[in-house]
Structures are given as structure tokens and as C-alpha cells.
Amino acid sequence: MNKVETSFLHKNQFGDDFLWGVSTAAFQIEGAPDTDGKGRSIWDVFTSQKGKIKNGHHALTACDFYNSYQNDIDLIRELNIPNFRFSISWPRIMPTGVLPVNEAGIAYYNKIIDSLLSAGIEPWITLYHWDLPHDLEVKGGWTNRESVSWFSAYVAVCVQHFGDRVKNWMVINEPSVFTGAGYFLGIHAPGKKGITNYLKAMHHVTLATTAGAKIIRNHIPDAHIGTTFSCTHIEPATTSSKDVEAAKRVDTLLNRTFIEPILGLGYPQADLPVLKKLNAYIVEDDLNNLSFDFDFIGLQCYTREVVKSSLLIPYIGAELISAEKRNVISTDMGWEVYPPALYQVLKKFNAYEGIRKIIITENGAAFPDTLKNGKVYDIKRTHYIQDHLEQILKAKKDGLAVDGYFVWTLTDNFEWAEGYNARFGLIHVDFDTQQRTIKHSGLWFKDFLS
Ligand code: IFM
């Protein structure tokens, strides 16, 4: 590979202990939905329903990571990336969501872990990245309080089989996104709607997060345990008190609702009154069981949102003003490109006393890439990553703690309701041939990490 244009950034500026990695998720890359005894997940079902995914895309093959994982692990090594974050598909190892275990599923993840370790790459496991076993959804999924026990049993299986070699664990990925999109808005699996489904799911997912973390701690005393949150810098559209209050409610919903109970602060009901409805689902010891002393918190930040007050929007009384309406530069997801958001988010989460360590477990961008003469010149993505790394340096200079950065993501993949339209990868995938091409951003990252 040729050397690529470099910026003034240098890996050493971040310190020797800074963690560099790349993140993925099972459903977005694996394909093989029913191979070797895998059960169906809510996303297998959702993607098979008409009109749910743009252009009718599905994830039956996705990036074929199930079969081509060795090739992709070789690429991670080629890019000099020392840490690989991936998720376990719950229905691959427990097809109905509960025991018995599917030995072929366990064998599959053992192969991945062993292959990573022999390539000198550290495995980072996310236990839940949205692909709940469908059979559990039939029983209510996350709206059923039993989901905490189902999840606990699944975590116990994972730590028992993988805990001898894997030290880095993340319990749940972006709870605010999958409960909001999947249980309130109905635009993600399982396609449920309404405040009751949402609040029940929120509480059970939070209980499951700490229950899962405790199980990891008990089985693997030296585990490095985290959980990951989507977070967005929120700004009011104007300085009017209405907009400022609206922005505060949106900030509470998107950034505070899931982390604060885990830090022992309870749900932020004072700043978002609809959360008081949660009290109907909180029983006896729940408040004591909601907190856990995580070794690290994973933050996943892509953009900022600008908010105005709107009486038309129930529960939150606020509206996001889209990047398009604001006429600002945005990605293929319609998200504004605004690197200072990362600095602001770091500042915000650094202010919580209970957080021991922060790792940026996702950051990246979807742009329309074109493959020309065997190359993808995705300079916008390269700059996006560089500009966000600059913000991390600024944060460090200002004394804010941040200990790692994982790019979202390795290869272009199945971007949920957006299908394959939104390409986030450092590596381009031709979804007809599964041909991989390292993009300019990937080559830059490789040079940077060398
Ligand atoms: O693709 C997703 C990922 O699954 C969770 N975090 C945000 C990414 C980009 O939308």
C-alpha cells in the first residue's frame, strides 16, 4: 500500500496507554441468519417485513462475516488496529433465547476470539447489540420483566465460554436508541410503539445492564467491564427560555436517562416529568439494583442536535431542527458534521463523579463512496475522523479524561433501517461480490497507527 497524505496528528500525542480500535455488531455484518442452528432474532423478523428497511434491503448475507471473518481479521491486522469490538448474537448461541446452548454458535465465537488473539488483536465483546431472540419477543421482549433473568442467563453462558480469553466486556449497546426506535417509535425491531412499551423496556434494560455487569464481575474478577451509550451534544435553537428548557428535556432523554440510574443517581425525573410514569414498573429493591461501578463507560457520539420548543410533540415538548433545515454540512444519515460535539460530550460526562474511565467506543461517518480504479477516495471520512481526534486532543489538553477511540466501523455494513445506503466503513464492500477495498480513511488510519 502506498503511504497516504497524513495530517499533523500523531498517535503519540494521545499517550502510550490510549486504546485504538474499531467497532462492529453481529447483525450488521454476519449474515448466515439460520446457519448452524442459529435462532431468529427480532431483526431477522423485522427485516423480512415489507416496508421496514429502505429499498427492501435485508441482512441475509450482510458482509458475510460469518464465513469470511478470517479475511476481515487479516484486514484489521493489516490496518494496525490493536482492538476489535464485536457483538455476540444471542440467538446464535441460544436459539430460543434460553437454555440449551447451541454448541455450534459457541464454537463460532471461539474461532473468532482465537483468531483475533493469534493475530495479536484484543477482543472486546458487546453482549447485546440489538438482536434479541425472536422467541423472547413473543413473550414481550424487553417489556417483560423476565427479560432481566433471560439476559442474565445469556450473560452467564457468554462469560463461562469466553471469559478465559476475553477481558474487555460491554454489556448493552446504546439503550436509548434501541428502546426509543424499537419500542417507542416502532422504526427499528421489534417495531413496537408507545410510551408504555418504551418505559417498561427502559427500566428492564437498565436492570439487565447492572445484572449483566455483576455476573461478569463474579465470573471474571479481572474483567474490564463497561457499557456503551449513544450521546449527542444538545443546543437550544435560541436563547429563549422555552427553547432552553426544551433542549434540557431532550438532553435528559438522550444523554442522561440511562446513565444516571447506573451511577446511583436514579432516573432524572425532575428534568423530564414523563419519566415519573416509570414508578409504576419500579418494585421493591429495584433502585438499589440499578447501579454498578463500571470500569469504563463507552460513549458513542456522532453529531449535535439543535432543539426548539414544540407543544405539538407529546411527552417532550421539543423538536429537533434537522441539519438540512439548518443548511449545515451533514452525512448520509442526515447528521450534522460538527466535531466540537465530541468535546462537549466528553466535558459533560467527565462532570459525573461516578465515571471512572471514558472510552469513545464509536465515532464515524456515512458518506457516498465511489470505487474508482480499485480505490475509494473518501476524504470527507478521513477528515471527519481527524477532526474528531483533534477534539479528543483538545479535551485531553483541558484535563478531561478520555482513554480510547474506536472507529465505527470496519467494513460498510447493514445500517439498520437505512439498509446498505449508509456506508460507514474504513473498508468498502461491494455487496454483490463481497470484495473488500481499503478506503483512503482506512489507509490513513493504518499509517496513523503504525
Ligand atoms: O450502526 C450504528 C451502530 O449499530 C450503533 N451506533 C450508531 C451506528 C451508526 O448509526
Side-chain angles (χ1 to χ4, degrees):
M1 293 283 171
N2 293 332
K3 273 265 179 201
V4 291
E5 158 224 334
T6 43
S7 71
F8 292 113
L9 284 168
H10 197 281
K11 192 175 80 164
N12 293 349
Q13 295 167 286
F14 294 79
D16 289 346
D17 295 339
F18 198 82
L19 294 156
W20 297 100
V22 68
S23 290
T24 61
F27 190 78
Q28 295 180 270
I29 59 173
E30 285 180 359
D34 48 19
T35 306
D36 295 336
K38 177 180 168 293
R40 284 198 305 168
S41 77
I42 52 173
W43 273 95
D44 291 314
V45 174
F46 193 72
T47 48
S48 70
Q49 292 165 358
K50 225 174 155 217
K52 302 290 187 195
I53 311 296
K54 265 194 195 159
N55 300 330
H57 288 170
H58 56 71
L60 296 177
T61 307
C63 308
D64 197 32
F65 187 81
Y66 190 75
N67 296 304
S68 63
Y69 68 87
Q70 188 55 57
N71 181 47
D72 285 348
I73 290 173
D74 292 345
L75 286 167
I76 301 170
R77 191 158 72 155
E78 186 177 335
L79 294 185
N80 298 319
I81 300 176
N83 296 288
F84 180 54
R85 173 177 172 234
F86 61 100
S87 74
I88 305 283
S89 160
W90 183 348
R92 201 177 282 293
I93 66 167
M94 293 166 93
T96 61
V98 295
L99 293 170
V101 159
N102 174 27
E103 292 300 339
I106 300 285
Y108 168 66
Y109 290 109
N110 273 331
K111 282 190 293 186
I112 291 183
I113 293 164
D114 291 342
S115 165
L116 286 167
L117 290 171
S118 65
I121 301 163
E122 202 54 39
W124 291 61
I125 286 183
T126 308
L127 285 159
Y128 185 77
H129 200 127
W130 307 358
D131 45 355
L132 187 76
H134 171 70
D135 284 7
L136 298 183
E137 183 54 38
V138 171
K139 297 178 190 163
W142 288 110
T143 66
N144 185 336
R145 203 181 154 87
E146 268 192 76
S147 55
V148 183
S149 323
W150 301 330
F151 183 69
S152 300
Y154 158 66
V155 175
V157 167
C158 290
V159 292
Q160 183 196 334
H161 287 90
F162 312 131
D164 56 333
R165 285 148 298 150
V166 179
K167 297 297 165 214
N168 303 291
W169 294 82
M170 284 144 290
V171 185
I172 299 262
N173 184 69
E174 293 185 358
S176 66
V177 177
F178 79 83
T179 56
Y183 287 86
F184 181 70
L185 298 172
I187 55 172
H188 274 193
K192 281 192 166 138
K193 288 185 184 171
I195 195 73
T196 305
N197 284 325
Y198 174 55
L199 292 175
K200 282 186 182 174
M202 175 189 292
H203 185 52
H204 301 147
V205 166
T206 307
L207 285 169
T209 307
T210 53
K214 284 175 196 162
I215 292 164
I216 305 171
R217 179 72 80 228
N218 287 339
H219 280 71
I220 320 169
D222 62 340
H224 184 221
I225 308 172
T227 196
T228 68
F229 297 102
S230 156
C231 39
T232 304
H233 174 54
I234 304 296
E235 283 179 17
T238 70
T239 53
S240 78
S241 61
K242 274 185 180 172
D243 287 347
V244 170
E245 285 303 312
K248 194 171 178 184
R249 289 192 295 278
V250 172
D251 177 53
T252 306
L253 179 71
L254 298 185
N255 295 320
R256 299 174 50 198
T257 299
F258 284 89
I259 184 128
E260 293 198 358
I262 280 173
L263 296 176
L265 303 172
Y267 290 110
Q269 297 178 326
D271 289 327
L272 189 59
V274 67
L275 296 181
K276 291 188 183 142
K277 287 180 189 277
L278 276 169
N279 296 347
Y281 315 114
I282 298 176
V283 301
E284 282 183 22
D285 249 5
D286 277 7
L287 290 176
N288 295 327
N289 289 330
L290 280 177
S291 58
F292 182 80
D293 188 14
F294 279 97
D295 298 314
F296 71 95
I297 292 297
L299 299 184
Q300 320 200 143
C301 172
Y302 290 84
T303 190
R304 76 165 161 180
E305 294 291 353
V306 175
V307 173
K308 71 174 181 186
S309 157
S310 169
L311 294 178
L312 298 175
I313 310 293
Y315 309 116
I316 187 95
E319 199 179 304
L320 307 182
I321 309 178
S322 69
E324 195 184 355
K325 273 197 188 144
R326 286 183 278 128
N327 203 16
V328 291
I329 296 171
S330 61
T331 67
D332 269 4
M333 298 294 282
W335 298 342
E336 180 184 4
V337 176
Y338 187 71
L342 188 54
Y343 176 90
Q344 294 299 338
V345 155
L346 283 169
K347 195 168 163 190
K348 181 178 180 69
F349 281 79
N350 262 265
Y352 285 118
E353 274 182 12
I355 296 185
R356 288 165 174 252
K357 190 200 277 187
I358 292 175
I359 297 173
I360 303 300
T361 38
E362 285 184 23
N363 174 250
F367 290 115
D369 299 321
T370 42
L371 182 62
K372 236 184 183 171
N373 304 325
K375 292 191 170 145
V376 179
Y377 188 62
D378 61 333
I379 194 70
K380 286 187 186 169
R381 183 174 295 100
T382 309
H383 286 158
Y384 180 100
I385 295 172
Q386 291 170 343
D387 293 347
H388 283 79
L389 291 179
E390 295 281 4
Q391 293 295 322
I392 292 185
L393 280 182
K394 177 169 150 52
K396 283 174 85 73
K397 202 166 137 243
D398 291 352
L400 300 175
V402 46
D403 288 283
Y405 177 87
F406 286 57
V407 175
W408 182 267
T409 180
L410 182 67
T411 57
D412 295 334
N413 65 27
F414 180 77
E415 177 54 31
W416 309 112
E418 301 299 310
Y420 298 97
N421 300 317
R423 292 179 173 270
F424 274 92
L426 294 172
I427 298 172
H428 180 274
V429 176
D430 176 329
F431 289 102
D432 293 327
T433 62
Q434 291 294 335
Q435 177 70 37
R436 270 71 166 146
T437 306
I438 302 176
K439 302 178 191 176
H440 178 276
S441 57
L443 295 173
W444 176 80
F445 201 46
K446 170 189 165 138
D447 269 7
F448 173 79
L449 294 178
S450 66

